Amino acid sequence: GENVEQHPSTLSVQEGDSAVIKCTYSDSASNYFPWYKQELGKRPQLIIDIRSNVGEKKDQRIAVTLNKTAKHFSLHITETQPEDSAVYFCAASKNNRLAFGKGNQVVVIP
Amino acid sequence: DVKVTQSSRYLVKRTGEKVFLECVQDMDHENMFWYRQDPGLGLRLIYFSYDVKMKEKGDIPEGYSVSREKKERFSLILESASTNQTSMYLCASSLFRQGISGANVLTFGAGSRLTVL
């Protein structure tokens, strides 16, 4: 099955700086790549996603890039704010079954 | 808003007890999922269902079973709870049918934290 790995496991950034989280996946047939954010004590929620026919997608301060050749995709958060502190999960899927990575703890230092 | 409701936020059970975790969604979603969340291990899929009375094993089905008698309800059953099943259990639902490529946006419930003593 699909294997998704995230790096780094923990990331601390100064408020206002950028944060980048990278995920790699194993199945070249995967065609959908979402990112979920889970704040402390809350449920995971989708923040951005990308399909395999697109290389980059942006939504305000967040963006996702996909490199199908290398089988990796990254989440970029610019101008980080304290409310960006959370655990971020990447996932990959084909046929609507998602395989999640283990999560990245992002800490934004005021 | 899509709502996925899990019946119990916190449960404490004893080893060997039978445990039912209930999940209900109100948006007529075809797909429902049960995940287990443990620190450092991320979200691991236990079972999922694409239709009523249909179920498929996920990555860690051992020790669990599921039931989907109605479209809106998906139950996770621990026949004989063990201490290694102490965890946070997350239910999720989504719209798309199996075989249709494209997005599968999951809406999660608030989670059920199970402690097995």
Side-chain angles (χ1 to χ4, degrees), chain A residues 35-90:
Chain A
W35 284 90
Y36 284 79
K37 175 184 179 182
Q38 187 177 30
E39 297 177 41
L40 188 63
K42 296 188 177 181
R43 68 196 76 187
Q45 290 192 302
L46 179 75
I47 55 171
I48 196 166
D49 56 10
I50 192 168
R51 294 184 177 87
S52 58
N53 59 348
V54 176
E56 183 175 356
K57 184 177 179 180
K58 190 174 182 180
D59 183 3
Q60 298 183 337
R61 294 188 297 107
I62 60 172
V64 56
T65 57
L66 171 65
N67 183 326
K68 288 187 292 183
T69 304
K71 290 190 285 187
H72 68 71
F73 57 110
S74 300
L75 178 70
H76 305 254
I77 308 173
T78 59
E79 301 172 19
T80 53
Q81 300 170 6
E83 54 264 37
D84 295 327
S85 294
V87 176
Y88 292 82
F89 294 98
C90 65

Side-chain angles (χ1 to χ4, degrees), chain A residues 31-32 34 36 38 41-46 49 51 87 89 93 95-103, chain B residues 4 35 37 40-43 45 48 50 57-59 97-98 100-106 108-110:
Chain A
N31 56 15
Y32 174 64
Y36 284 79
Q38 187 177 30
K42 296 188 177 181
R43 68 196 76 187
Q45 290 192 302
L46 179 75
D49 56 10
R51 294 184 177 87
V87 176
F89 294 98
S93 85
N95 298 328
N96 302 315
R97 175 174 170 169
L98 283 174
F100 283 90
K102 294 181 178 180
Chain B
V4 178
Y35 287 90
Q37 183 174 18
L41 297 179
L43 299 166
L45 182 64
F48 58 103
Y50 289 128
K57 293 180 179 179
D59 300 316
R97 287 191 182 278
Q98 185 179 14
I100 298 178
S101 64
N104 185 10
V105 179
L106 296 178
F108 284 91

Side-chain angles (χ1 to χ4, degrees), chain B residues 49-111:
Chain B
S49 170
Y50 289 128
D51 204 348
V52 174
K53 297 190 185 295
M54 178 275 178
K55 61 184 178 183
E56 289 195 27
K57 293 180 179 179
D59 300 316
I60 52 164
E62 296 78 19
Y64 304 95
S65 62
V66 289
S67 173
R68 193 161 181 205
E69 295 297 317
K70 294 184 178 181
K71 189 175 185 179
E72 67 271 18
R73 187 179 298 270
F74 192 36
S75 303
L76 180 68
I77 303 153
L78 288 67
E79 292 289 341
S80 178
S82 63
T83 55
N84 62 12
Q85 292 179 308
T86 292
S87 188
M88 171 67 83
Y89 291 88
L90 289 167
C91 176
S93 71
S94 70
L95 266 175
F96 292 93
R97 287 191 182 278
Q98 185 179 14
I100 298 178
S101 64
N104 185 10
V105 179
L106 296 178
T107 299
F108 284 91

